[in-house]
Structure formats: C-alpha cells, structure tokens
Amino acid sequence: METALPIAIILVTGLALALVAQWRDWRPPLWAALAVGVVVRVVLMFFAAGDAHQPVDFVNSFKPAGEAVLNGQDPVLASKGGWHFLPTIPYVYGILLWLGIPWEWSGRIVTVVADIVLIPLVAKLAGGPKASLRAFQYALNPLALMVACLHGQVEPVALVFGVAAFVVARGPGAPTPRMDVIAVTRRALADHGWSGLPGWALRTLGQALRPGPGDRAGLKRGAYAGLLMGLALCAKSWPIWLVPGMVLLLPQLRSRIVALFCTGAVPLFFLVTLPVFAGTSISQIPQVIDTIRAIRPIVGEWGWTPHFTGGDWALRADLATFGTYLIYACVVAAIIIWWRADPIDMTLAILLIFMVVTPRLGAQYLLWFMPFLVARPTRFAWPAIIGVSLWAGYGYLYMTQYEDTAWWLLHQDWSRASIVLLPVLLAAMPWGRRNPP
C-alpha cells in the first residue's frame, strides 16, 4: 500500500485523541464527534481509493457481485461463490456502479456511510452523561476506520442495522425487566398449582400473551427492532449472535415473538424476490441457498489454529468442526452466565468469547464487538481495542507492502502472534456486570 504512512499517522493520531479523551473525560457535543468521524473517513477513503493496492476480496468478490446486479444476474451465482450472502448490499453496489461511480469509491461509500451512522448509534447505545464521549471515541476507532475505509468490508453495514435494532428494542428510559416470562410462569404455578396441567398451561400462555397497558408500544418496538435485525442478517449471517440480546431488551413475550418473526421475514423477503430483482430463476434458488450456507473450513489466520497450520491458511475440516462446536458451547455458557445482566453486556460477552475460541477469522471480524465495547467499556477495554487495532494494522498497512513469498512469510508470524490477544479479549469481557445492580 503506497499510502500506508499517511494513513498510519492519521490512525495513530486518532487513537491518541481517543485515549486523551478518556483520560481528560472530554465530552464534545455529538455534532462535533460526527464531524470528526466524517472528515477522517472521507480522507482515508480518498487515500485508499487512489492507492494501487486494493484488497483481494474487495476486487474479486464484492465487485463481481455489484456488476452482476448491474447486468441483471444473480450476485451469488455470477460471482462464482465470491459472495456468500443475500443480495441486499450488491443491490446498492449495482446502483452506485450504474451511476458511473468508479468501484474504488462506490465499493467503499456503502461501508463508510454505514460506519458514520454508527457514531450516533454508539452514543445511543451508551446512554448517560458520557454518550458523546463514546461517540467521539468510536469516530476515531482505528479498527473501524481500517475496516470501513481501507478494506471496504461490509461489517459496518451489518453493525449499523444490528446496533440500531438494540437501540430501538431498548426504547426510551431505563432497561425493562428481562425475567417477565419466568415471573408469569411462577405466578401461574402459585395461582393454579399442578392440578389440571393442560388448563394451567393454556392459562399460563394466555397470561403471557394477553395484551396489557402499553403493550402496543412494545409490539411496535419489537416489529421495528426485528426488521432492523433482519436487515443486519441480509448483510451477513453473523448478526445471528446479536438476536438473543435484542430479544431480551424487549418488554414482554408478545413483543419478542413479533421481533423474531420480523427478523426472519426480512431475509426471507430478499430470498423469494430474487427472481424479481436479481434475475434468478426459481430453479436456481436452491443453488443460491446452498452457496450461502456453504462455509469453507479455512483456518490458520487467527488465534489457536495457526499453531496447527504453521501460520498458513489451510483447509482443515477437523479444526473447523471442533472450533464450531467450541463456539456453540461457549456462547451457550455466556448466555447462561450473563442471563441476568444487561442484554448489551450479554451480547458483548458472546461476541468476545467468539473471538477467543473461533477457529477461523478475518481481521474485519474483530469489528463485531467494537461498538458494544466502546459504548460500555470494561476494565480491559482499551488494552483490547489497542491490541486488535495494532494486529489488524500490521496486516492492513505493513504486510501489504509485500507480495507473494514475502507476504506469506510475514503472515506466518502475524497469524501466530494473534494468540497473545486471546487472554486480553477474555479479560475485556464484562465479568463485573454479570448480575443487575
């Protein structure tokens, strides 16, 4: 990357300002944080778009998906497996290409705009008197800047809808109780005992579903939050890990059911409308589904698997399978441990434990937890933010100075070095917030 030095200076300066803001407790107005975020992202996008180096997937996967939409083709099939998600974002790519905007810009406009919108959303997620401080810190977050402006990866798009779903689900005021379903069941047990179980079961369900005062507002929140989360899942599949926290933020069972229904309805809509908007034949839809579901077991980029592959990428189904089961077990454990905590903290715990145990990861995955960690920092939040930013920056800025053999040799050390970040991410989990105050 020819522009690595000025980009690095901007990123380091931004990180220093974020740390000084934490130390001095700066609380700039939200408009100032937003203005800083816009300026920095536009400048970085200018450098990245004009650089001779362009990320491989940005050119070979994302661009063909946008061109396929422009040509009236299915983006999943036409990109030959380069795009493994629903065509929602390629639709936007296609529109921007149709407007004549060069790919180096149009491919990044989508992610940069999404990342700018995340700045006020982080403030909303944080709430309280330090909301504007958290927005300012996210505006200068080095990892977010690299993923959105340099890589052009679509994580910010998934996050902007996912975080918005959390903000809508929480609604105004204090967080709502999250144990209402259990409380209803306990009241029904106390009232009716164990006799006449079928009738008791029906009465319990009726009590849980019967509308009460303020339920209409809760149902609307559930519907809007579910629609937003559905759009997040249309961008990428990983926001499925955000769904439990969103559901628990809603005030009653009815609103949670509505949210889950709307969450699933949005991806289904984009799937069944492929013949209308993407030129996909009905007979091709099963093939599209198989392509979206397919996950190649490539490991060796991050964490514990590079030490089994020598620091190189490898198709290791054994490691990928074991790691997948490990993820499921650890996510379930995180949900149990943080069940009574604030759902945002539970979500942060889920995302961080995923990074610790996952067998496969791209640097952009590390952005998943960043809005939540910036909004609700833990004791080791900044060591984690700095650590992952340095690791990703080495890959994005330094390693891109090399090609072929030299790059692969650097990759071996870079990928294996990531293991030192696992205990830092583990320490950054919200251990002190496992129970409500």
Side-chain angles (χ1 to χ4, degrees), residues 107-259:
R108 291 183 171 91
I109 288 173
V110 180
T111 56
V112 167
V113 169
D115 206 48
I116 289 171
V117 178
L118 271 169
I119 296 171
L121 285 176
V122 167
K124 285 285 188 180
L125 195 68
K130 294 190 176 184
S132 60
L133 167 62
R134 305 308 175 204
F136 180 74
Q137 290 175 322
Y138 186 82
L140 296 173
N141 186 278
L143 187 68
L145 294 171
M146 287 186 285
V147 172
C149 306
L150 308 187
H151 196 169
Q153 262 285 358
V154 298
E155 258 62 25
V157 182
L159 276 169
V160 76
F161 289 116
V163 173
F166 270 68
V167 171
V168 170
R170 184 169 62 184
T176 54
R178 294 174 296 283
M179 301 297 287
D180 51 293
V181 176
I182 295 176
V184 165
T185 305
R186 286 175 175 168
R187 283 199 300 271
L189 281 170
D191 292 343
H192 304 290
W194 288 98
S195 59
L197 185 59
W200 165 83
L202 290 174
R203 285 191 296 272
T204 300
L205 184 61
Q207 287 185 25
L209 296 179
R210 184 181 299 128
D215 270 11
R216 182 171 296 179
L219 292 177
K220 289 176 65 176
R221 278 166 51 192
Y224 292 145
L227 291 173
L228 289 165
M229 190 60 73
L231 288 170
L233 287 169
C234 289
K236 275 200 163 182
S237 56
W238 69 261
I240 193 71
W241 303 119
L242 305 181
V243 172
M246 176 202 71
V247 169
L248 290 176
L249 276 170
L250 291 163
Q252 73 272 345
L253 181 59
R254 284 165 55 87
S255 62
R256 294 169 181 174
I257 293 173
V258 169

Side-chain angles (χ1 to χ4, degrees), residues 141-413:
N141 186 278
L143 187 68
L145 294 171
M146 287 186 285
V147 172
C149 306
L150 308 187
H151 196 169
Q153 262 285 358
V154 298
E155 258 62 25
V157 182
L159 276 169
V160 76
F161 289 116
V163 173
F166 270 68
V167 171
V168 170
R170 184 169 62 184
T176 54
R178 294 174 296 283
M179 301 297 287
D180 51 293
V181 176
I182 295 176
V184 165
T185 305
R186 286 175 175 168
R187 283 199 300 271
L189 281 170
D191 292 343
H192 304 290
W194 288 98
S195 59
L197 185 59
W200 165 83
L202 290 174
R203 285 191 296 272
T204 300
L205 184 61
Q207 287 185 25
L209 296 179
R210 184 181 299 128
D215 270 11
R216 182 171 296 179
L219 292 177
K220 289 176 65 176
R221 278 166 51 192
Y224 292 145
L227 291 173
L228 289 165
M229 190 60 73
L231 288 170
L233 287 169
C234 289
K236 275 200 163 182
S237 56
W238 69 261
I240 193 71
W241 303 119
L242 305 181
V243 172
M246 176 202 71
V247 169
L248 290 176
L249 276 170
L250 291 163
Q252 73 272 345
L253 181 59
R254 284 165 55 87
S255 62
R256 294 169 181 174
I257 293 173
V258 169
L260 289 173
F261 175 82
C262 292
T263 298
V266 178
L268 183 62
F269 168 80
F270 280 98
L271 182 64
V272 299
T273 56
L274 282 173
V276 178
F277 300 114
T280 312
S281 67
I282 295 176
S283 62
Q284 288 178 314
I285 290 181
Q287 185 181 352
V288 172
I289 295 173
D290 289 341
T291 303
I292 293 174
R293 291 174 55 194
I295 300 176
R296 298 178 67 196
I298 300 175
V299 300
E301 181 83 358
W302 161 272
W304 55 275
T305 57
H307 296 271
F308 291 89
T309 67
D312 293 326
W313 295 336
L315 287 169
R316 290 287 302 271
D318 56 337
L319 297 179
T321 301
F322 172 77
T324 299
Y325 288 136
L326 187 60
I327 288 172
Y328 293 154
C330 290
V331 166
V332 170
I335 292 174
I336 294 172
I337 293 172
W338 276 271
W339 177 256
R340 293 184 59 84
D342 188 299
I344 298 174
D345 289 327
M346 187 185 77
T347 302
L348 177 59
I350 290 172
L351 297 176
L352 283 171
I353 199 62
F354 180 99
M355 303 301 160
V356 173
V357 302
T358 182
R360 60 190 303 274
L361 178 142
Q364 70 273 11
Y365 288 21
L366 296 167
L367 189 60
W368 296 4
F369 62 82
M370 200 61 72
F372 301 93
L373 188 60
V374 172
R376 292 179 60 84
T378 61
R379 181 178 180 183
F380 289 93
W382 281 102
I385 293 170
I386 294 170
V388 299
S389 297
L390 288 173
W391 183 82
Y394 186 88
Y396 279 131
L397 300 178
Y398 181 74
M399 286 172 54
T400 52
Q401 308 300 311
Y402 301 88
E403 297 181 359
D404 301 329
T405 303
W407 188 91
W408 283 107
L409 290 174
L410 289 170
H411 183 276
Q412 291 176 349
D413 294 332

